[in-house]
Amino acid sequence: MIGTTSSWDLYERGCPSRDLLDRIGDKWSILVLGELGEHGRSRFTELRNRLSGVSEKMLTQTLRALESDGLVLRTVHARVPVRVDYELTALGQTLRAPLRALTEWSLQHTDEVLAARAAYAARVEQGA
Amino acid sequence: MIGTTSSWDLYERGCPSRDLLDRIGDKWSILVLGELGEHGRSRFTELRNRLSGVSEKMLTQTLRALESDGLVLRTVHARVPVRVDYELTALGQTLRAPLRALTEWSLQHTDEVLAARAAYAARVEQGA
DNA sequence: CAGAATCCAATAAGATACTG
DNA sequence: CAGTATCTTATTGGATTCTG
């Protein structure tokens, strides 16, 4: 594997890395990965309760996609009632640092962005 | 500013940081910011040509949103024909590192993800 | 408990044609 | 050149109801 670099170009349409980026940059994916990263193995209901505002449909969809991408491991315990656990795979763990960098940035710069938006809106109001 | 931490919680609905995260995680936003980070100041047409597949509508929308958020500076040169430059603001520059971490991850792990998807599809085919 | 299925409203995205 | 305006399609997302 030494010396191999991926030959993909994010700036080309149809690039699979571009699609992947889009999926992990997804609203709920970021939050689900973040939660599983912080809390470790969690159940469906736990996730639903922690991710304020998520619908069951979106949570299921997101979890399935992440599972399919090999980022999340889904384990079904055959009891009654059934118990399902979700946790990050090894691959999913490698995504924690980059994602945390982004979420940290977002938290730290929200003030500035809100101020910029207000200023922009005021400018538009005046200008046009 | 010492000791101040933002009081927002990404896991709460309506959190402005959550919304912001969603905007910068957007498909075209990531690519526009990446391009401006790599190439520096660019014109509208240059961006359109470099971002394969983007429509003028989406490019305009994305640039306006980034400008409004204070991440991109738009400069109009009053000539005929008009010339418009886009470049990262200081705030936009601070986003380069986190975003690059994410795009790098994406490029480096696309193979694994594609393999995982294939395996998942095969499993589903068998199982159900 | 952990979803699956269905329906519907809202929004986003793309193509196309036009303009200061 | 750098958009804007308009139209149409696709996709998203949420609410609701039902089930092994």
Side-chain angles (χ1 to χ4, degrees):
Chain A
M1 281 300 210
I2 296 173
T4 62
T5 25
S6 63
S7 55
W8 285 303
D9 181 353
L10 287 178
Y11 300 100
E12 280 305 315
R13 66 197 308 169
C15 168
S17 302
R18 190 197 264 197
D19 297 341
L20 174 56
L21 193 54
D22 215 32
R23 275 174 86 151
I24 61 182
D26 173 72
K27 178 181 181 177
W28 297 118
S29 295
I30 293 180
L31 296 180
V32 166
L33 292 169
E35 264 296 320
L36 291 178
E38 285 177 33
H39 280 80
R41 184 170 42 221
S42 306
R43 303 176 60 178
F44 185 85
T45 308
E46 291 174 336
L47 288 172
R48 190 191 55 202
N49 292 337
R50 292 205 203 104
L51 304 185
S52 164
V54 72
S55 68
E56 298 189 338
K57 179 184 168 186
M58 290 314 298
L59 184 54
T60 302
Q61 265 185 28
T62 303
L63 286 167
R64 288 288 183 284
L66 294 175
E67 188 196 1
S68 160
D69 286 354
L71 299 170
V72 162
L73 178 65
R74 176 174 183 268
T75 311
V76 180
H77 302 276
R79 307 170 185 171
V80 180
V82 70
R83 176 194 175 103
V84 181
D85 289 329
Y86 294 93
E87 62 193 305
L88 295 183
T89 62
L91 183 57
Q93 295 284 351
T94 67
L95 189 47
R96 289 187 65 187
L99 272 189
R100 195 163 39 222
L102 201 64
T103 53
E104 283 296 312
W105 186 94
S106 181
L107 286 168
Q108 282 165 12
H109 296 278
T110 300
D111 290 322
E112 284 173 80
V113 170
L114 291 179
R117 282 184 199 166
Y120 183 83
R123 243 179 294 140
V124 170
E125 191 122 347
Q126 289 297 321
Chain B
M1 280 299 211
I2 294 172
T4 63
T5 25
S6 63
S7 55
W8 285 304
D9 182 352
L10 286 178
Y11 300 102
E12 281 304 316
R13 66 197 308 171
C15 168
S17 303
R18 191 197 261 196
D19 297 339
L20 174 56
L21 193 54
D22 215 33
R23 273 174 89 152
I24 61 182
D26 172 71
K27 178 182 182 177
W28 296 119
S29 295
I30 294 179
L31 296 180
V32 166
L33 292 169
E35 264 297 321
L36 291 179
E38 286 179 33
H39 280 81
R41 185 170 42 220
S42 305
R43 304 176 58 178
F44 185 86
T45 308
E46 290 174 336
L47 288 171
R48 190 191 56 202
N49 292 336
R50 292 206 203 104
L51 304 185
S52 165
V54 72
S55 68
E56 298 188 338
K57 177 184 166 185
M58 289 313 298
L59 183 54
T60 301
Q61 265 184 29
T62 303
L63 285 168
R64 287 288 183 283
L66 294 175
E67 189 195 0
S68 160
D69 286 355
L71 299 169
V72 162
L73 177 66
R74 176 175 183 266
T75 311
V76 180
H77 301 276
R79 307 169 187 173
V80 181
V82 69
R83 176 195 175 102
V84 181
D85 288 328
Y86 294 93
E87 62 194 305
L88 296 183
T89 62
L91 183 58
Q93 295 284 351
T94 68
L95 189 48
R96 289 186 65 186
L99 272 188
R100 195 162 40 222
L102 201 65
T103 53
E104 283 296 310
W105 185 94
S106 180
L107 286 167
Q108 282 167 11
H109 296 277
T110 300
D111 289 323
E112 285 174 80
V113 169
L114 290 179
R117 282 184 199 165
Y120 183 84
R123 243 180 293 140
V124 170
E125 189 123 346
Q126 288 296 321

